[in-house]
Amino acid sequence: MGEEKEKIKCSVIIPTKNGGGIFQQVLNKVLDQEIDGIFEVVIIDSGSKDGTVEFIESIRKENKKVILRKIAPNDFGHGKTRNLGASYANGEYLVFITQDALPFDNAWLKNLISIFDEDSEVVGVFGKHIPYDDCDIFEKDNINRHFLNFGLDTTIFYLDDKERYERDEGYRHLLCFYSDNSSAMRKSIWEKTPYPDVDFAEDQLWAKKIIEQGYKKAYAPHSIVYHSHKYSLKEQFRRYYDEYKGLNKIYNYVPVKSIFLLPAYIFRHWKSDIQFIKESKSLTLKEKKYWRRFSLAKNIVRYLGAYLGVKGNLFPWLNMVFSREHKLINKDG
């Protein structure tokens, strides 16, 4: 009899579509990860036309642990495509990363999945994001402060106060935040609770389910990826539309209480940004002027997108006009 085949520790699942040069960096960095045991990479491509598939095929010739499955563009869904990748996976743990989330070092994967060995009740883990250099200064500050909220070292979250969970929106956000830009779950829990088949926020909806079922999730601050976006104002509007539509669906969060209050929300946030700019010692006078103008435009599209995103849950036809995710999912090219 031959030697027993070594068990696969984890499966890294990456949905792709026209990933470009950044995806090539991501895949190479993923394959360079150092863990105790072996891992595989499962890629689900939904109609790339930019050479992404050809690049994956070239990698597969040298590396048999890379699995590629292709689907039609209109078969893509954030939840169902990740579930499809999980169905092909052979690992004990399912690791999810996006095509534009670049591991910071070769310990990204090890630092993510090692938490499962530390606490057998943890079923999901998410890692830390740091912004790319081309990210705008406000988003950089937002990303850095956001992940600081979860702690400087490994932190375990679980539902320990049901009454507070019901009444405290901030507490619900803390317990249910989860990001599959860089995350991992036990395959055994995925088999019981797969991702929901939704257009947006499938990761946070999944986390909400497992938290309410009494499971634990963990934050792994030493598992780090670069992840941020450099969107045009039009793209930012669509992104905010989808983000706040998702937050409203999960938490019933209404960021703009009335359309008549829009100017007040915009001005308040702009005023805060101006103070942030004023306190920055690294910006030149010319740069400060630029970021003041940028902030005003960004806050206009942010709060308008937030207001309309909530309306999108009431009037689905709005998604065809404003949703970035709706356009991406329903576009063949």
Side-chain angles (χ1 to χ4, degrees), residues 160-172:
D160 60 347
D161 188 335
K162 291 185 178 180
E163 188 275 330
R164 184 184 175 192
Y165 183 80
E166 292 297 325
R167 65 173 168 80
D168 188 338
E169 189 173 276
Y171 182 62
R172 288 199 302 274

Side-chain angles (χ1 to χ4, degrees), residues 97-130:
I97 188 171
T98 51
Q99 65 181 10
D100 59 348
L102 180 66
F104 177 75
D105 56 22
N106 292 351
W108 159 74
L109 184 56
K110 177 180 69 177
N111 290 337
L112 193 64
I113 65 173
S114 62
I115 296 174
F116 291 120
D117 295 327
E118 297 172 14
D119 191 328
S120 61
E121 295 182 359
V122 169
V123 299
V125 181
F126 69 99
K128 179 180 179 179
H129 301 182
I130 56 177

Side-chain angles (χ1 to χ4, degrees), residues 85-98:
S87 73
Y88 289 119
N90 300 294
E92 180 182 1
Y93 306 120
L94 305 175
V95 177
F96 295 91
I97 188 171
T98 51

Side-chain angles (χ1 to χ4, degrees), residues 270-303:
W270 185 47
K271 185 179 178 181
S272 175
D273 285 348
I274 288 175
Q275 185 62 35
F276 172 73
I277 294 168
K278 188 181 295 185
E279 293 173 358
S280 176
K281 297 178 180 179
S282 61
L283 297 175
T284 66
L285 182 60
K286 183 178 180 180
E287 287 171 332
K288 287 183 177 182
K289 289 180 178 178
Y290 168 79
W291 289 117
R292 286 191 196 105
R293 295 193 300 270
F294 179 90
S295 169
L296 180 58
K298 179 170 183 171
N299 282 307
I300 289 172
V301 302
R302 178 188 186 122
Y303 287 102

Side-chain angles (χ1 to χ4, degrees), residues 169 172-173 243-257 265 268 302-303 306 309-310 313:
E169 189 173 276
R172 288 199 302 274
H173 282 222
E243 179 179 339
Y244 285 103
K245 176 174 172 281
L247 289 174
N248 175 255
K249 189 171 184 178
I250 299 168
Y251 308 112
N252 294 319
Y253 177 52
V254 181
V256 180
K257 309 303 180 186
Y265 284 100
R268 184 175 61 186
R302 178 188 186 122
Y303 287 102
V310 172
N313 284 325

